[in-house]
Amino acid sequence: MIRELEAQERRLVLPRFTHEDAWALGSLLVALARERRAPVAVDIHRAGQQLFHAALPGSTPDNDAWIARKRRVVERYGCASYLVGARFRAKGTTFADSSRLDPGTYAAHGGSFPIAVEGAGVIGAVTVSGLPQAEDHRLVVEALEAYLER
């Protein structure tokens, strides 16, 4: 699983990421979620600024709290929140038990993925919350793959 997650990060690197790109990627995520009637919130941050946010029917304020906690993991570790959690589990522990970070502030659960730009590295995060963590992660990856193919 870790190799697959690392491969996703190597593959899903964008040539650039502007405000317009944030709108297009966020809108694509919302469209995918609506097709599935997924009760999610979607968020895109770049360099500390929220560029996109949407809360679909069935999502709650709790989803926004999860988004913030998962996004902070991406910002701190520079990789997907799901990958960070998987690495801790592979060591026989959990992020909450071994990271020494406040679990009220950080959550290594799937759903936040780094926005990496060629030549610049990780500049932000795209995050989904509302589904089981593997599904949150898959939704973001699917949207990034489709976005890169356009």
Side-chain angles (χ1 to χ4, degrees):
M1 176 203 247
I2 290 174
R3 285 188 186 144
E4 177 185 340
L5 296 172
E6 290 172 341
Q8 288 172 348
E9 290 190 2
R10 286 190 300 273
R11 192 175 73 248
L12 299 173
V13 176
L14 302 168
R16 68 184 186 297
F17 198 74
T18 65
H19 286 78
E20 291 78 17
D21 293 311
W23 179 261
L25 177 59
S27 297
L28 175 59
L29 262 167
V30 167
L32 290 170
R34 280 186 173 154
E35 283 175 14
R36 296 160 196 187
R37 293 191 170 110
V40 298
V42 176
D43 183 87
I44 299 176
H45 266 70
R46 183 187 69 184
Q49 181 183 20
Q50 184 179 54
L51 300 182
F52 185 93
H53 186 87
L56 277 68
S59 65
T60 68
D62 196 43
N63 296 121
D64 293 333
W66 275 98
I67 282 171
R69 292 169 58 219
K70 293 190 279 188
R71 186 188 74 246
R72 286 186 196 107
V73 168
V74 173
E75 292 169 348
R76 184 170 185 113
Y77 288 86
C79 58
S81 55
Y82 199 38
L83 175 56
V84 173
R87 286 177 173 160
F88 276 90
R89 288 187 298 279
K91 293 176 186 174
T93 186
T94 66
F95 179 82
D97 288 340
S98 298
S99 70
R100 298 185 185 167
L101 296 171
D102 177 7
T105 304
Y106 295 88
H109 291 261
S112 192
F113 200 92
I115 297 169
V117 172
E118 294 170 8
V122 175
I123 61 155
V126 52
T127 311
V128 168
S129 176
L131 303 170
Q133 66 172 330
E135 292 177 41
D136 278 346
H137 177 83
R138 274 193 295 271
L139 184 59
V140 172
V141 168
E142 181 182 344
L144 282 167
E145 288 171 342
Y147 190 72
L148 279 168
E149 289 174 8
R150 61 171 181 85

